[in-house]
């Protein structure tokens, strides 16, 4: 290591963002003479509403060497094959965004084009009949994907639904075992260096002054370092994503612990249901311009399947991100970097992308501006492409007569999303990018699930004779149905491989 090498890293803030960062840094920088310290205050609560994840979390956990069964037991986790969206197209509609493919290409043409051709010919079979994770989810079944790539049982992935507070505690133990030092307390002041404006140190309320070469801001919405000290600025996306409040409450489990998260459209936003082993997480994301906090809380409580285990907790937010998520020698991670409502369970994913991108561009004490620019380019792009996907859900609604939903359908959308939608409506083209999280099946799920249907399909599909196409489609859906039907019940799989110790209601709330 050179004289300019980073020797001290200070993470300000704990929670999921802080401890994911600490765990990843302690694992990947092991063996280097770098001290990692995290300061947090038990008096400052964490948001803790994000409990559902996307499959990328499996790679993060694997990179840390975590044992899946142990992790799931310690975090009261269940498996997740996708997200069900209720009432988003029209009231009464339901579709699942799966973590997996629809069918398989035929004659080199994407499967959905053949499905569209069959649909125009009178075949009313829904697209979900060709998706194994959807059919398994609908039946409450789960088994890990097959390693045999020739099998339909290999055509999907999975994520987790877990208690974010327990996950943070789990990663804290992991990080501390690898040398991360935790300090309890609140930051009272941030000192900037003369000349370059880098952060020099933070002073705690105890009076202790803590210097570092690199600072990671995990202080939540307030952005203690990135915004309050460095004035990074904020890109406000309220014009596209106007929901600015959320109410969250856990409840007792009554229904089965389904292997999917549920998002149900409501009067002024949407409600989530996330089944864990010891409780169900519930919330209402809404626009304060269309419903009051009291009415939102009442609607949330009225929709619970079981007894509430606490009073609703509220949080306020503004959709968007910091204009600079890496500024000088400070990198913002988690809510300090920005916020997009958890409609597609991307909150923890954005933390993961931030940490892995930082490690790929890990700086010396000079924090080269080129590294900062590249980091900000990658993160801004990630936020923008998730933003477009979220806006699609709102824009492609047919919930007429509701002020909130009428506004969402009729107001302008980002040019980048309009371009994607125009191409799909014309002839079923799903725009593909080298970078960005959501792949073709994700866009198909929302487009077709919310009745955005192309005017035409790829004409190359017509090269497959009608009888051959009908036979291929039947073979795929029969294989999907048979494979899903042979899977064990999700609850049985959890009980067999990763059942957590029972907890009482009081413990569930504290967790």
């Amino acid at each position: 290591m050179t004289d300019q090498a980073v020797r001290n890293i200070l993470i300000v803030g704990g929670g999921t963002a802080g401890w994911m960062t600490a765990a990843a840094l302690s694992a990947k920088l092991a063996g280097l003479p770098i001290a990692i310290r995290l300061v947090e205050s038990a008096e400052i609560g964490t948001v803790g509403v994000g409990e559902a994840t996307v499959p990328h979390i499996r790679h993060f956990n694997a990179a840390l060497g975590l044992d899946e069964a142990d992790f799931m037991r310690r975090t009261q986790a269940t498996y997740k094959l996708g997200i069900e969206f209720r009432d988003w197209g029209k009231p009464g509609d339901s579709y699942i965004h799966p973590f997996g493919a629809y069918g398989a290409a035929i004659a080199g043409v994407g499967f959905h084009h053949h499905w569209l051709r069959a649909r125009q010919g009178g075949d009313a079979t829904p697209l979900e009949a060709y998706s194994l994770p959807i059919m398994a989810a609908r039946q409450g079944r789960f088994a890990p994907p097959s390693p045999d790539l020739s099998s339909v049982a290999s055509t999907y992935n999975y994520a987790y639904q877990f208690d974010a507070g327990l996950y943070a505690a789990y990663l804290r133990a992991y990080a501390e075992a690898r040398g991360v030092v935790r300090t309890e307390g609140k930051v009272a002041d941030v000192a900037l260096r003369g000349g370059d404006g880098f952060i020099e140190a933070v002073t705690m309320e105890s009076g202790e002054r803590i210097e570092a070469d690199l600072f990671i801001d995990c202080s939540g919405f307030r952005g203690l370092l990135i915004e309050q000290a460095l004035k990074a600025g904020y890109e406000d996306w309220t014009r596209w994503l106007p929901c600015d409040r959320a109410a969250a409450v856990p409840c007792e489990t009554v229904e089965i612990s389904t292997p999917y998260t549920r998002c149900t459209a409501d009067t002024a936003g949407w409600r989530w249901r996330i089944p864990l082993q010891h409780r169900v997480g519930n919330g209402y994301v809404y626009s304060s311009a269309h419903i009051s906090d009291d009415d939102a809380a009442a609607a949330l409580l009225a929709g619970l399947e079981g007894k509430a285990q606490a009073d609703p907790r509220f949080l306020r937010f503004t959709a968007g991100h910091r204009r600079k998520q890496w500024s000088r020698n400070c990198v913002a991670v988690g809510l300090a970097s920005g916020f997009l409502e958890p409609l597609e369970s991307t909150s923890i994913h954005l933390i993961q992308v931030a940490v892995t991108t930082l490690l790929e561009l890990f700086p010396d004490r000079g924090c080269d501006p080129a590294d900062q620019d590249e980091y900000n380019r990658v993160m801004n792009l990630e936020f923008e492409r998730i933003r477009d996907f979220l806006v699609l859900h709102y824009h492609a609604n047919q919930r007429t007569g509701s002020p909130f939903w009428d506004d969402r359908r009729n107001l302008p959308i980002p040019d980048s999303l309009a371009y994607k939608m125009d191409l799909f409506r014309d002839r079923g083209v799903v725009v593909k990018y080298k970078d960005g999280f959501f792949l073709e099946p994700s866009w198909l799920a929302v487009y077709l699930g919310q009745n955005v249907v192309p005017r035409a399909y790829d004409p190359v599909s017509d090269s497959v004779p009608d009888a051959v196409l009908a036979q291929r489609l039947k073979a795929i859906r029969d294989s999907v149905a048979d494979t899903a039907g042979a899977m064990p019940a999700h609850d049985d799989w959890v009980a067999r491989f990763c059942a957590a110790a029972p907890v009482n209601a009081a413990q569930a709330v504290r967790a």
Side-chain angles (χ1 to χ4, degrees):
M1 299 184 70
T2 68
D3 290 340
Q4 280 295 102
V6 168
R7 302 286 184 178
N8 295 280
I9 301 173
L10 181 66
I11 303 168
V12 175
T16 309
W19 288 112
M20 283 183 71
T21 302
L25 293 180
S26 66
K28 297 304 178 183
L29 303 178
L32 295 175
I34 300 177
I36 304 172
R37 189 170 180 180
L38 184 149
V39 298
E40 66 175 340
S41 171
E43 296 179 15
I44 300 175
T46 57
V47 173
V49 300
E51 298 179 323
T53 61
V54 293
H56 289 60
I57 190 69
R58 295 179 57 210
H59 303 298
F60 183 83
N61 286 355
L64 297 183
L66 303 183
D67 176 77
E68 182 178 77
D70 180 61
F71 144 75
M72 293 190 70
R73 283 191 291 268
R74 297 275 294 276
T75 62
Q76 296 282 350
T78 56
Y79 296 97
K80 178 181 176 183
L81 293 170
I83 306 171
E84 181 192 20
F85 290 90
R86 290 188 177 181
D87 304 331
W88 280 80
K90 299 184 297 292
D93 285 356
S94 169
Y95 69 91
I96 288 180
H97 167 197
F99 298 147
Y102 292 100
I106 302 172
V109 177
F111 178 80
H112 70 282
H113 290 284
H114 298 289
W115 176 82
L116 287 167
R117 173 187 163 193
R119 184 178 185 269
Q120 290 186 13
D123 185 344
T125 305
L127 183 63
E128 70 175 38
Y130 300 96
S131 168
L132 179 55
I134 295 180
M135 298 309 290
R138 292 285 190 198
Q139 298 174 47
R141 299 179 181 277
F142 177 82
S146 169
D148 180 3
L149 298 182
S150 66
S151 169
V152 69
S154 70
T155 59
Y156 66 98
N157 206 333
Y158 67 92
Y160 311 107
Q161 300 166 136
F162 57 62
D163 186 309
L166 293 179
Y167 185 54
Y170 187 61
L171 293 182
R172 172 183 169 180
Y174 176 98
E176 289 183 321
R178 286 157 180 78
V180 175
V181 175
R182 176 189 182 276
T183 297
E184 168 66 29
K186 296 179 182 179
V187 173
D189 186 53
V190 181
L192 303 183
R193 240 171 24 206
D196 59 13
F198 277 37
I199 298 176
E200 184 175 73
V202 301
T203 301
M204 306 298 291
E205 285 188 345
S206 65
E208 181 184 8
R209 177 183 167 90
I210 306 174
E211 297 183 353
D213 303 315
L214 180 66
F215 293 81
I216 315 295
D217 189 346
C218 298
S219 64
F221 289 125
R222 57 184 178 151
L224 181 63
L225 306 182
I226 196 72
E227 188 60 46
Q228 293 187 23
L230 296 180
K231 313 298 183 187
Y234 198 80
E235 187 68 32
D236 187 334
W237 287 339
T238 304
R239 63 192 181 281
W240 294 311
L241 294 168
C243 288
D244 58 353
R245 300 281 195 280
V249 65
C251 78
E252 295 177 354
T253 302
V254 173
E255 303 176 23
I256 63 171
S257 60
T258 54
Y260 58 88
T261 298
R262 180 183 300 155
C263 297
T264 304
D266 210 318
T267 304
W270 58 277
R271 291 179 287 111
W272 76 75
R273 175 186 185 265
I274 305 173
L276 312 182
Q277 292 190 44
H278 63 321
R279 61 175 169 83
V280 176
N282 308 275
Y284 189 175
V285 175
Y286 58 95
S287 163
S288 62
H290 295 84
I291 192 173
S292 69
D293 290 347
D294 288 344
D295 287 345
L300 173 61
L301 293 171
L304 299 182
E305 66 189 68
K307 181 181 177 181
Q309 295 177 325
D311 293 327
R313 293 182 297 109
F314 293 89
L315 62 143
R316 300 182 176 190
F317 57 84
T318 300
H321 63 82
R322 304 290 173 197
R323 291 198 174 94
K324 289 186 176 181
Q325 298 180 54
W326 182 349
S327 178
R328 301 187 178 101
N329 63 336
C330 175
V331 179
V333 176
L335 300 179
S337 70
F339 184 79
L340 294 173
E341 60 191 75
L343 183 60
E344 284 285 352
S345 306
T346 52
S347 296
I348 289 175
H349 169 69
L350 285 167
I351 296 171
Q352 181 178 341
V353 174
V355 176
T356 54
T357 304
L358 172 60
L359 283 166
E360 290 171 359
L361 297 168
F362 195 75
D364 61 18
R365 280 183 284 175
C367 291
D368 193 308
D371 291 336
Q372 296 180 47
D373 290 345
E374 175 61 8
Y375 180 92
N376 289 323
R377 184 193 70 83
V378 169
M379 291 306 301
N380 290 350
L381 190 61
E382 197 77 22
F383 268 84
E384 288 169 9
R385 293 192 170 159
I386 292 173
R387 175 204 67 194
D388 284 359
F389 195 55
L390 300 187
V391 173
L392 170 63
H393 294 65
Y394 286 108
H395 180 67
N397 85 83
Q398 300 96 52
R399 296 173 58 92
T400 57
S402 167
F404 175 83
W405 293 99
D406 287 343
D407 287 348
R408 302 287 63 73
R409 185 174 57 257
N410 296 320
L411 289 176
I413 60 176
D415 291 342
S416 50
L417 175 59
Y419 168 75
K420 295 184 184 76
M421 295 188 72
D422 286 344
L423 281 175
F424 186 76
R425 284 193 176 107
D426 183 43
R427 47 170 288 176
V429 174
V430 178
V431 176
K432 299 176 183 177
Y433 293 115
K434 177 183 176 182
D435 300 313
F437 171 59
F438 295 106
L439 302 179
E440 181 175 279
S442 299
W443 288 90
L444 287 173
V446 182
Y447 281 142
L448 298 170
Q450 294 189 207
N451 309 304
V452 179
V453 180
R455 290 182 283 271
Y457 56 84
D458 188 332
V460 178
S461 174
D462 290 329
S463 66
V464 181
D466 290 346
V468 174
L469 179 60
Q471 183 181 38
R472 292 290 297 275
L473 294 179
K474 183 178 185 303
I476 292 173
R477 64 177 179 263
D478 285 351
S479 179
V480 165
D482 291 345
T483 305
M487 288 181 177
H490 172 249
D491 277 349
D492 291 346
W493 188 274
V494 169
R496 179 179 176 186
F497 288 100
C498 55
V503 297
N504 59 39
Q507 289 174 315
V509 173
R510 287 197 298 273

